[in-house]
Amino acid sequence: MTGDNTERYRAVRTLARIAYSPSFPLLGGFLDDEEWDVRIAALNGMRELLEAGRLQDSPGDGNALIRIGLRALGDANSLVTAAAADLGHAAGWPAKVLRELLEPVESRDDSEILLALRSAITLSRQGDPASVLATAFDAADHQRLLDLADPEVREEYLHVLGVLDVPLRSAWEKGLGDPSEAVRVAALSAARLLSTPLPSGLFEPLLADPAETARIETIFTLGHAGGFDRDAVERSLTDPSAEVRRLAAELLAGTDRE
């Protein structure tokens, strides 16, 4: 639908007020809208229809319409995924639908893979409703994603490893050595999500990374991991970046006090 954001938002709210099942898939059509607030309004409209008991689902598959909305669990915007999670709560987290959302991780379509990975992250944050991550999704089985051309897929896979607490050393080593700065930074950040830190020796070489952002993230990650080589960090006191020098000094000072 064309028109400005306000027009589309009003259209979504009108559809929600119509209050009968054909509105649900029409609202689903707005989940691809470029504006996040329109997508949220569509999800809220779906939830309101469901909670009010005004949704007559499609015959043959009781989850058909819910599946439309729950694809937004894999949205790139965290506010949209929160609204999708509210819909999931209202729908009772149907396990069949949730498993289907994760299946595209085996796809050859990068956009579908991203959808599955982001859905896994959202489900983990929701406490793994219906235990689909525990029973139907083994992140360690998908290391091939680190070989795909799209760096965004590689970033999100590393995020999944962190969120799901998977200390798979071979995958982390590959992510930390990725040719993309964004992927290396994602690996450093995601590694801090692990309940048991990886060895600091995996991160120390990135103190010499050509990207300032990666060097900064490395210092944060070393602070989280602990047990780092002080000589390696001390070399960062002469880094070209004033921010890296400051953070290195703070890290060293913090360990002096321990």
Side-chain angles (χ1 to χ4, degrees), residues 131-146:
S131 299
V132 293
L133 294 175
T135 60
F137 187 84
D138 187 345
D141 287 342
H142 305 296
Q143 285 191 73
R144 69 169 187 90
L145 300 181
L146 291 173

Side-chain angles (χ1 to χ4, degrees), residues 24-165:
F24 207 94
L26 291 174
L27 286 167
F30 286 90
L31 296 180
D32 292 323
D33 195 277
E34 62 185 15
E35 299 292 344
W36 60 267
D37 58 339
V38 173
R39 303 199 299 276
I40 288 175
L43 288 163
N44 288 342
M46 291 176 168
R47 176 178 50 76
E48 289 163 9
L49 287 172
L50 187 61
E51 289 177 338
R54 296 178 293 182
L55 175 63
Q56 295 298 316
D57 218 331
S58 59
D61 183 354
N63 291 317
L65 298 182
I66 300 300
R67 186 181 300 111
I68 295 172
L70 291 189
R71 279 179 60 86
L73 290 169
D75 196 280
N77 184 292
S78 62
L79 295 176
V80 176
T81 60
D86 289 341
L87 176 62
H89 282 295
W93 292 115
K96 181 175 184 291
V97 171
L98 300 183
R99 286 193 296 270
E100 289 172 351
L101 289 175
L102 300 176
E103 288 173 357
V105 75
E106 303 282 0
S107 169
R108 294 184 180 276
D109 182 333
D110 287 354
S111 63
E112 288 296 304
I113 294 171
L114 282 170
L115 184 78
L117 292 173
R118 289 170 178 157
S119 294
I121 291 168
T122 302
L123 290 172
S124 177
R125 288 172 174 163
Q126 294 297 315
D128 191 13
S131 299
V132 293
L133 294 175
T135 60
F137 187 84
D138 187 345
D141 287 342
H142 305 296
Q143 285 191 73
R144 69 169 187 90
L145 300 181
L146 291 173
D147 294 320
L148 297 188
D150 187 347
E152 195 170 9
V153 171
R154 306 198 300 273
E155 288 177 51
E156 290 293 358
Y157 177 63
L158 290 161
H159 192 181
V160 166
L161 291 181
V163 167
L164 298 186
D165 201 14

Side-chain angles (χ1 to χ4, degrees), residues 188 192 203-204 206-208 212-226 228 232-237 239 241-252:
L188 289 161
R192 299 197 293 271
F203 309 118
E204 287 163 2
L206 279 83
L207 288 170
E212 178 190 31
T213 303
R215 300 197 303 277
I216 289 172
E217 288 293 327
T218 300
I219 293 174
F220 288 142
T221 306
L222 288 173
H224 170 76
F228 54 84
V233 177
E234 284 173 357
R235 286 192 287 273
S236 293
L237 296 176
D239 192 276
S241 163
E243 182 65 3
V244 172
R245 296 194 301 272
R246 182 183 70 80
L247 291 171
E250 288 183 358
L251 178 58
L252 291 166

Side-chain angles (χ1 to χ4, degrees), residues 167-170 172-173 176 188 191 194 196-206 218 221-222 224-229:
L168 188 63
R169 182 161 177 152
S170 58
W172 289 105
E173 287 177 340
L176 292 167
L188 289 161
L194 296 172
T196 301
L198 294 166
S200 292
L202 288 179
F203 309 118
E204 287 163 2
L206 279 83
T218 300
T221 306
L222 288 173
H224 170 76
F228 54 84
D229 181 348

